[in-house]
Amino acid sequence: MSVWTKDNTFRSPAPDVDIPNVSFAEYMFSKCDKYQDLPAVTDFSSGRSYTYSLLKASAIKLASALTKLGYKKGDVIAVFSVNMPEYSILMIAAASIGVIITPANPAYTAGELANQLEHSKAQAVFTIPQLLPVLQEALSLNSTVKNNIKDKFIFGEGEGCKPVQSLLNDDGKSMPDVDIDVNNDILVLPYSSGTTGLPKGVMLTHRNCISNLLQFSSVTDIKETEDVMLGILPFYHIYGMMPVQFGCLHRGCHLVTLPKFDPAEFMKALQEYKISQLHVVPPIVLFMAKHPMVDQFDLSSLRFVVSGAAPLGEGLSKGFMDRTKAPIYQGYGLTETSPVVNIDYAPGKTGSTGPIVPNSTGKICDIETGKTLGVGEEGEYCVKGPQVMKGYLDNQQATDAMIDKDGWLHTGDIGYVDESGVLVIEDRLKELIKYKGFQVPPAELEALLLTHPNVQDAAVIGIADPEAGELPKAYIVPKSDSKLTSQCVTEFIQERVSHYKRLRGGVQFVDAIPKSPSGKILRRVLKDVAV
Ligand code: 4UW
């Protein structure tokens, strides 16, 4: 079947899949009933484990306890935590009562956390003891947030917090009858800066997420009930949250969670649990391809590895496969597309991200004229499908800038598609910087830099780096007569942002920031002269 149509749009070579009209919790509960006593999710370091039956029973208890505390459909609850089995329980529990989960990056500073809590209007936060001081600082920084947050729930114990364990001891009898409109009700609200500006709340509906799980599962070689997968990518990010966490759980596979990337723990988990499907980002691929430690571990259980969130070079892919003997496939997605848009599922074409997933249509557009281009022509990748977000929370303007009136989502990525429908991403049109797959919104750093008393103007771009993909670099126009040094600027940022947003690409002082007549920073001009 040809993937290209007469109007120069393209589809998947694979057939469409049926998407059931059910809520996310109904969907996951039916899977729990199907897989019952099989292991669902296990914490690697403690061995704490839940079968599918226990996962469902725990989610019902938690949902019932939240209901008794007054939480109801449409309320927003934040999760500020590392990966652990209870993250999955909470997500299913919240979904079952129509509560929206907004996942926050556990690397966040108090200021960053406060921004998300305020914007999402979260009414409660689930956290862990190690992150409680950050949460407390966030509440003390922002009185709106402090007033909004009714409860702090903790996995473990902490002052002023309700232990999650007490909720899990509920009798499970207060589950309300909740009517979920799967096409409109929001399941999760992750934050992404999208093509431009500050992080925005991405409204993903129940249908968006269920569709995407089925779209990519139908074309990936998942061995139902047999695969063992590692939850190393953070669940707060859409890649770890949906394709990894629920991509595993909706097929009866076993998910082993790790709280963070520690090289030795990671390798031990791969070996001990005989991980068969591994989902990672390019820096982990690089570690596995190059680090001497890797040779001490048996990786023969790995059937295949998937990499995404940032470009994976052909050379690295080959080096990885030579060493581990496991094929590596690349996927491509965005928070705004729940997230998978393309996934490679046959060995061979390294460096590409494979064809578009089923039930979706893609096109490549000329970046100047918007005209739809043909086979092999380079332009902006646009996509349509049931996984495309409902929009950004309270930001119609940003939503309209990303999804046009015909329903095409403009990814802000530049690439081409070959005769067989395979996508190669080549560049990024949008301003987003990706450090090791993490989003670094330049607008956020620029706004912070402008609060420095000695900074007149500032711009931040990503410069290429072989290990991290990109490093944020700042161009600064200092105020006249100020004795600003690059170290001052670097430290100023370091004190205020998560570690991955630091100005690792350096600071350069310039006379002026190149701008368009309308005042937009000409990032391309800076990129062309970046050293
Ligand atoms: N090559 C080049 C890639 C690639 C890429 C993403 O943080 P977000 O919003 O979202 C993500 C999601 C990644 C993802 C999800 C599911 C999946 O299966 C998979 O592959 C295994 C990957 O990163 O950032 C979105 C932006 O990240 C860049 C691109 O610029 C995109 O718009 N990006 N994947 N393979 N660039």
Side-chain angles (χ1 to χ4, degrees):
M1 182 180 100
S2 168
V3 298
W4 284 86
T5 60
K6 278 200 281 305
D7 61 1
N8 270 347
T9 63
F10 46 84
R11 304 268 304 172
S12 168
D16 279 357
V17 285
D18 285 335
I19 297 162
N21 210 24
V22 292
S23 76
F24 192 77
E26 276 178 81
Y27 182 69
M28 284 313 300
F29 283 158
S30 73
K31 299 294 175 175
C32 293
D33 292 341
K34 182 174 176 191
Y35 302 124
Q36 298 194 4
D37 295 335
L38 291 175
V41 52
T42 301
D43 173 55
F44 176 65
S45 48
S46 67
R48 197 171 65 258
S49 192
Y50 294 80
T51 61
Y52 279 89
S53 299
L54 189 56
L55 182 66
K56 178 177 173 185
S58 306
I60 289 175
K61 288 177 175 197
L62 185 49
S64 163
L66 287 172
T67 305
K68 283 179 191 151
L69 289 167
Y71 294 96
K72 57 183 189 316
K73 184 177 159 182
D75 290 347
V76 177
I77 290 184
V79 193
F80 182 48
S81 169
V82 295
N83 293 1
M84 60 170 78
E86 292 74 13
Y87 210 118
S88 315
I89 295 172
L90 172 58
M91 289 198 63
I92 300 171
S96 72
I97 55 173
V99 163
I100 300 163
I101 289 291
T102 190
N105 185 344
Y108 269 172
T109 60
E112 291 167 332
L113 177 64
N115 287 343
Q116 182 168 334
L117 294 178
E118 178 174 2
H119 187 265
S120 63
K121 302 189 183 73
Q123 297 185 19
V125 186
F126 279 72
T127 193
I128 55 174
Q130 298 89 317
L131 295 177
L132 184 56
V134 185
L135 171 59
Q136 275 159 341
E137 194 187 336
L139 299 182
S140 69
L141 283 178
N142 186 316
S143 57
T144 309
V145 172
K146 196 168 181 188
N147 291 335
N148 286 349
I149 298 292
K150 293 193 293 188
D151 288 296
K152 301 190 286 286
F153 298 106
I154 197 151
F155 301 108
E157 293 193 350
E159 210 190 315
C161 301
K162 294 190 168 79
V164 178
Q165 193 52 51
S166 67
L167 307 187
L168 290 171
N169 291 337
D170 188 89
D171 61 10
K173 291 193 174 144
S174 297
M175 286 284 285
D177 255 342
V178 183
D179 193 15
I180 304 280
D181 172 355
V182 299
N183 289 306
N184 283 301
D185 288 341
I186 311 304
L187 175 69
V188 283
L189 187 70
Y191 273 66
S192 161
S193 68
T195 48
T196 183
L198 299 175
K200 294 172 273 292
V202 180
M203 298 190 288
L204 298 179
T205 64
H206 289 243
R207 189 173 178 78
N208 285 150
C209 296
I210 294 178
S211 301
N212 202 239
L213 289 177
L214 290 161
Q215 286 174 291
F216 76 80
S217 301
S218 77
V219 292
T220 353
D221 172 25
I222 299 175
K223 282 201 178 0
E224 188 180 10
T225 71
E226 286 177 27
D227 271 324
V228 188
M229 292 165 63
L230 197 62
I232 178 64
L233 297 179
F235 292 167
Y236 89 85
H237 184 255
I238 195 72
Y239 181 11
M241 178 198 288
M242 283 298 159
V244 179
Q245 179 179 214
F246 289 107
C248 178
L249 296 175
H250 89 129
R251 299 301 306 275
C253 299
H254 185 188
L255 180 67
V256 179
T257 61
L258 280 174
K260 65 176 185 348
F261 182 75
D262 171 276
E265 287 288 286
F266 170 72
M267 293 308 301
K268 268 204 300 201
L270 287 178
Q271 179 174 282
E272 275 179 34
Y273 277 91
K274 298 191 169 46
I275 299 297
S276 55
Q277 245 196 70
L278 177 66
H279 295 251
V280 289
V281 288
I284 301 184
V285 179
L286 184 71
F287 162 79
M288 292 179 77
K290 298 257 160 97
H291 199 286
M293 172 202 291
V294 175
D295 288 328
Q296 297 159 20
F297 293 86
D298 176 9
L299 295 180
S300 57
S301 57
L302 274 182
R303 293 199 302 117
F304 65 91
V305 177
V306 179
S307 169
L312 179 72
E314 248 184 288
L316 178 55
S317 226
K318 288 204 175 100
F320 176 89
M321 290 195 272
D322 285 346
R323 188 177 203 196
T324 63
K325 310 295 174 232
I328 188 160
Y329 306 137
Q330 205 179 167
Y332 161 87
L334 294 82
T335 308
E336 290 81 354
T337 53
S338 314
V340 190
V341 181
N342 284 63
I343 182 108
D344 195 9
Y345 48 91
K349 181 141 181 158
T350 48
S352 86
T353 57
I356 195 166
V357 291
N359 303 57
S360 307
T361 311
K363 65 175 180 177
I364 299 285
C365 291
D366 187 290
I367 56 175
E368 302 291 334
T369 63
K371 184 176 158 268
T372 308
L373 302 173
V375 174
E377 292 182 303
E378 190 183 293
E380 184 179 17
Y381 186 31
C382 301
V383 59
K384 235 186 209 185
Q387 73 274 49
V388 170
M389 66 169 177
K390 181 172 169 179
Y392 291 119
L393 179 70
D394 297 335
N395 198 334
Q396 195 59 44
Q397 201 185 350
T399 305
D400 293 344
M402 195 164 201
I403 305 173
D404 68 24
K405 58 181 184 351
D406 299 319
W408 289 101
L409 176 132
H410 293 247
T411 64
D413 291 307
I414 297 177
Y416 67 87
V417 173
D418 75 8
E419 184 65 48
S420 65
V422 163
L423 170 75
V424 177
I425 294 287
E426 299 203 294
D427 201 356
R428 210 176 287 133
L429 184 62
K430 57 189 168 191
E431 64 189 37
L432 176 68
I433 299 168
K434 282 226 141 175
Y435 171 79
K436 297 191 173 181
F438 286 109
Q439 287 202 4
V440 183
E444 198 180 323
L445 296 180
E446 286 155 3
L448 265 180
L449 287 165
L450 291 177
T451 66
H452 190 290
N454 292 330
V455 170
Q456 179 71 41
D457 204 358
V460 176
I461 60 162
I463 55 165
D465 178 77
E467 280 188 26
E470 284 177 297
L471 301 176
K473 171 171 181 177
Y475 290 83
I476 304 284
V477 182
K479 283 201 173 143
S480 53
D481 301 332
S482 78
K483 302 225 168 10
L484 195 60
T485 62
S486 53
Q487 195 187 344
C488 287
V489 176
T490 311
E491 285 173 5
F492 180 79
I493 290 295
Q494 188 165 323
E495 284 158 14
R496 289 164 173 78
V497 298
S498 317
H499 65 89
Y500 60 91
K501 295 180 191 163
R502 291 178 189 163
L503 295 171
R504 291 184 167 84
V507 174
Q508 190 171 328
F509 292 104
V510 290
D511 295 333
I513 301 293
K515 292 199 178 153
S516 69
S518 63
K520 265 187 104 173
I521 297 171
L522 295 172
R523 296 174 198 281
R524 187 55 56 188
V525 174
L526 288 172
K527 282 204 165 191
D528 289 344
V529 299
V531 279

